[in-house]
Amino acid sequence: MSLPPLVEPAAELTVDEIRRYSRHLIIPDVGVAGQKRLKNARVLCVGAGGLGSPALLYLAAAGVGTLGIIDFDTVDESNLQRQVIHGVSDVGRSKAESAAASIREINPLVQVEIHNTALDRENVREIFSQYDLIVDGTDNFATRYLVNDAAVLLGKPYVWGSIYRFDGQASVFWAEHGPCYRCLYPEPPPPGMVPSCAEGGVLGVLCASIGSIQVNEAIKLLTGIGEPLVGRLMVYDALEMSYRKIKVRKDPNCVLCGENPTVTDLLEDYEDFCGAVSVEAQVAVVDSTITALELKEWQDAGKDIFLVDVREPAEYDIVRIPGATLIPKGEIISGEALAKLPQDRQIVLHCKSGVRSAEALAALKAAGFRDAVHVQGGVLSWIKQIDPALPAY
Ligand SMILES: [Zn+2]
């Protein structure tokens, strides 16, 4: 299915622009008309992280006239392995500002609009309505559903991508012409089921593989060439080096874009909809949560505690809290590791951020370990509050 171009052509290209974009201009399908459409285009990139980095670089180089960047985060050293729009001197700087500076260096003809804020239900309509097309480079389910719902309600197309370890996916969601994200994934996965890249890792170059597909699709939509990935899901496996295309149908029962929609406005709370942790874990942590500072005090006071690190071995190798024994969450949830845990000592669980340890705590309590507690904020809190010299990862 080919679709008409999203954007009308700009009036003209300057001599500078003709020189700069000559390799586009001589492609018959793009030509001067296509380049003028790119010049007139307004594209918003949600997130200047793993996917946003290559996407913004190539959108800028391609001559998209106006690029919006929305990101509230700052550049961290652990971003540099894949977020190639940022450099060493940008660590600590706003990602949106840092990305804007790189774009100006690559192509000063691009107008950059910075939204140095978190996307939420209050600002999403106003921000999205300023753009022709959205490129979604977010890494969490709450924002993904927010992006999808806002795009459908506003009638905007968007190019979606997601990455994890060696696997990537991409598609174009445009309810007017095909399915939306909810047609593909009606419900968010159960909390804790799908780890984020921060928890599970991502091969840096995978960002370029998927980000470049997103830019490719964006250019096709803006200029009206080729067959956009509407109604098709691209699935990439970097280890197999395979690309598969899976047909995605519009779901007539989709609560958002189906025949009888029940979601007719943005949800009140997307975090709530996606649930950071399960209900069991939410119950388990009540009155059973300590801070990193309290853990340190217990250790310094010589309290008899059994400290369990529920992360994965690779994470334990990077950084660990002194005295912690590694027992990955999966072994606790399955019950396999319960015999390793002492009945007569205070058990303290921790993970990287406090999500996995909360799930493990729920499993321990269900198995009768009533006094067990977990550390709020996990290793990251420990590093922040106790030992900033350790590497945050
Ligand atoms: Zn739908």
Side-chain angles (χ1 to χ4, degrees), residues 55 57 60 81 100 108 123 136 138 177 210 227-228 235-236 238 252 279 300 303 319 333 337 345-346 353 355 381:
L57 290 173
Q81 161 258 18
N123 61 23
D136 180 13
T138 51
H177 298 283
I210 300 300
E227 295 219 358
V235 180
Y236 172 61
V279 176
D300 290 348
K303 189 172 159 110
V319 59
I333 305 279
R345 292 168 72 189
Q346 169 71 59
S353 65
V355 173
S381 270

Coordinates of all heavy atoms in Angstrom, one line a residue, residues 55 57 60 81 100 108 123 136 138 177 210 227-228 235-236 238 252 279 300 303 319 333 337 345-346 353 355 381:
A55 N 18.3 8.3 14.9 CA 17.1 8.9 14.1 C 17.3 10.4 13.9 O 17.2 10.9 12.8 CB 15.8 8.6 14.9
L57 N 20.1 12.1 14.0 CA 21.2 12.4 13.2 C 20.9 12.3 11.7 O 21.2 13.2 10.9 CB 22.4 11.5 13.5 CG 23.1 11.7 14.9 CD1 24.1 10.6 15.2 CD2 23.8 13.1 14.9
A60 N 18.2 14.9 10.5 CA 18.9 16.2 10.3 C 19.7 16.2 9.0 O 19.6 17.1 8.2 CB 19.8 16.5 11.5
Q81 N 27.6 4.3 25.1 CA 27.8 3.0 24.4 C 26.9 2.9 23.2 O 27.1 2.1 22.3 CB 27.6 1.9 25.4 CG 27.3 0.5 24.8 CD 25.8 0.2 24.9 OE1 25.0 1.1 25.1 NE2 25.5 -1.1 24.8
A100 N 20.5 18.8 20.2 CA 20.3 19.9 19.3 C 21.7 20.5 18.9 O 21.8 20.9 17.7 CB 19.6 21.0 20.1
P108 N 23.2 22.9 9.8 CA 22.6 24.2 10.4 C 21.4 24.7 9.7 O 20.7 25.6 10.2 CB 23.8 25.2 10.2 CG 24.6 24.6 9.1 CD 24.5 23.1 9.2
N123 N 0.7 17.7 28.3 CA 1.3 18.5 27.3 C 1.4 17.7 25.9 O 1.7 18.3 24.9 CB 2.8 18.8 27.7 CG 3.7 17.6 28.0 OD1 3.4 16.5 27.5 ND2 4.7 17.7 28.7
D136 N 8.8 7.6 17.5 CA 8.8 7.2 18.9 C 10.1 6.4 19.3 O 10.3 5.3 18.8 CB 7.6 6.3 19.2 CG 7.5 5.8 20.6 OD1 8.2 6.4 21.5 OD2 6.7 4.9 20.9
T138 N 10.9 5.9 22.6 CA 10.8 5.7 24.1 C 11.2 4.3 24.5 O 11.1 3.4 23.7 CB 9.4 6.1 24.6 OG1 8.5 5.3 23.8 CG2 9.1 7.5 24.4
H177 N -5.1 4.5 8.4 CA -4.7 3.6 7.3 C -4.4 2.2 7.7 O -4.1 1.3 6.9 CB -3.5 4.2 6.5 CG -3.8 5.5 5.8 ND1 -4.5 5.6 4.7 CD2 -3.5 6.7 6.2 CE1 -4.6 6.9 4.4 NE2 -4.0 7.6 5.3
I210 N 17.7 -0.3 14.1 CA 16.3 0.0 14.2 C 16.0 1.5 14.0 O 15.1 1.9 13.3 CB 15.7 -0.4 15.6 CG1 15.9 -2.0 15.7 CG2 14.2 -0.1 15.7 CD1 15.2 -2.8 14.7
E227 N 6.5 1.8 0.0 CA 5.4 1.2 0.8 C 5.8 1.3 2.2 O 6.6 0.6 2.7 CB 5.3 -0.3 0.4 CG 4.9 -0.5 -1.0 CD 3.9 -1.7 -1.1 OE1 3.5 -2.3 -0.1 OE2 3.4 -1.9 -2.2
P228 N 5.1 2.2 3.0 CA 5.4 2.3 4.4 C 5.0 1.0 5.2 O 4.2 0.2 4.7 CB 4.6 3.5 4.8 CG 3.5 3.6 3.8 CD 4.0 3.0 2.5
V235 N 10.6 -7.4 12.3 CA 11.3 -8.0 13.4 C 12.7 -8.4 13.0 O 12.9 -9.1 12.1 CB 10.5 -9.3 13.8 CG1 11.2 -10.0 15.0 CG2 9.1 -9.0 14.2
Y236 N 13.6 -7.8 13.7 CA 15.0 -8.0 13.4 C 15.8 -8.8 14.5 O 15.6 -8.5 15.7 CB 15.7 -6.6 13.3 CG 17.2 -6.6 13.1 CD1 17.8 -7.2 12.0 CD2 18.0 -5.9 14.0 CE1 19.2 -7.2 11.9 CE2 19.4 -5.9 13.9 CZ 20.0 -6.5 12.8 OH 21.3 -6.5 12.7
A238 N 19.5 -9.7 15.4 CA 20.9 -9.3 15.1 C 21.8 -10.6 15.1 O 22.8 -10.6 14.4 CB 21.5 -8.2 16.0
P252 N -10.7 -4.9 14.8 CA -12.0 -4.2 14.8 C -12.5 -4.0 16.3 O -13.3 -3.1 16.5 CB -13.0 -5.1 14.1 CG -12.3 -6.4 13.9 CD -10.8 -6.2 14.1
V279 N 0.7 -6.2 41.7 CA -0.1 -5.9 42.9 C 0.5 -6.6 44.1 O 0.6 -6.1 45.2 CB -1.6 -6.3 42.7 CG1 -2.4 -6.1 44.0 CG2 -2.2 -5.6 41.6
D300 N 26.9 -1.5 59.6 CA 27.9 -0.9 60.5 C 27.6 -1.3 62.0 O 28.5 -1.4 62.7 CB 27.8 0.6 60.4 CG 28.4 1.1 59.0 OD1 29.0 0.2 58.3 OD2 28.2 2.3 58.7
K303 N 24.5 -5.9 62.7 CA 23.3 -6.6 62.7 C 23.4 -7.9 61.9 O 24.1 -7.9 60.8 CB 22.2 -5.7 62.2 CG 20.8 -6.3 62.3 CD 19.7 -5.2 62.0 CE 18.4 -5.9 61.6 NZ 17.3 -5.7 62.6
V319 N 29.1 -4.4 39.5 CA 29.1 -3.7 40.8 C 28.3 -4.5 41.8 O 27.3 -5.1 41.4 CB 28.6 -2.2 40.6 CG1 27.2 -2.2 40.1 CG2 28.7 -1.5 41.9
I333 N 11.7 -16.8 42.5 CA 10.3 -16.9 42.1 C 10.0 -18.4 41.9 O 8.9 -18.9 42.2 CB 10.1 -16.1 40.8 CG1 10.5 -14.7 41.0 CG2 8.7 -16.3 40.3 CD1 9.6 -13.7 41.6
A337 N 15.5 -21.6 44.9 CA 16.6 -21.1 45.8 C 16.2 -21.0 47.3 O 16.9 -20.6 48.1 CB 17.0 -19.7 45.3
R345 N 17.7 -15.6 60.2 CA 18.4 -14.3 60.0 C 17.5 -13.3 59.3 O 16.6 -13.7 58.5 CB 19.7 -14.5 59.3 CG 20.7 -15.3 60.1 CD 21.9 -15.7 59.2 NE 22.8 -14.6 58.9 CZ 23.8 -14.7 58.0 NH1 24.0 -15.8 57.3 NH2 24.6 -13.6 57.8
Q346 N 17.8 -12.1 59.5 CA 17.1 -11.0 58.8 C 17.5 -11.1 57.3 O 18.6 -10.8 57.0 CB 17.4 -9.7 59.4 CG 16.9 -8.5 58.6 CD 15.4 -8.4 58.6 OE1 14.8 -8.2 59.7 NE2 14.7 -8.4 57.4
S353 N 17.2 -1.4 40.9 CA 16.4 -0.2 41.1 C 15.2 -0.4 42.1 O 14.6 0.5 42.5 CB 15.8 0.2 39.8 OG 14.8 -0.8 39.3
V355 N 12.7 -2.8 41.6 CA 11.5 -3.5 41.0 C 11.6 -5.0 41.2 O 10.7 -5.6 41.7 CB 11.4 -3.1 39.6 CG1 10.2 -3.9 38.9 CG2 11.1 -1.6 39.4
S381 N 20.6 3.3 44.4 CA 20.5 4.1 45.6 C 21.7 4.0 46.5 O 22.2 5.0 47.0 CB 19.3 3.7 46.5 OG 18.2 4.3 46.1

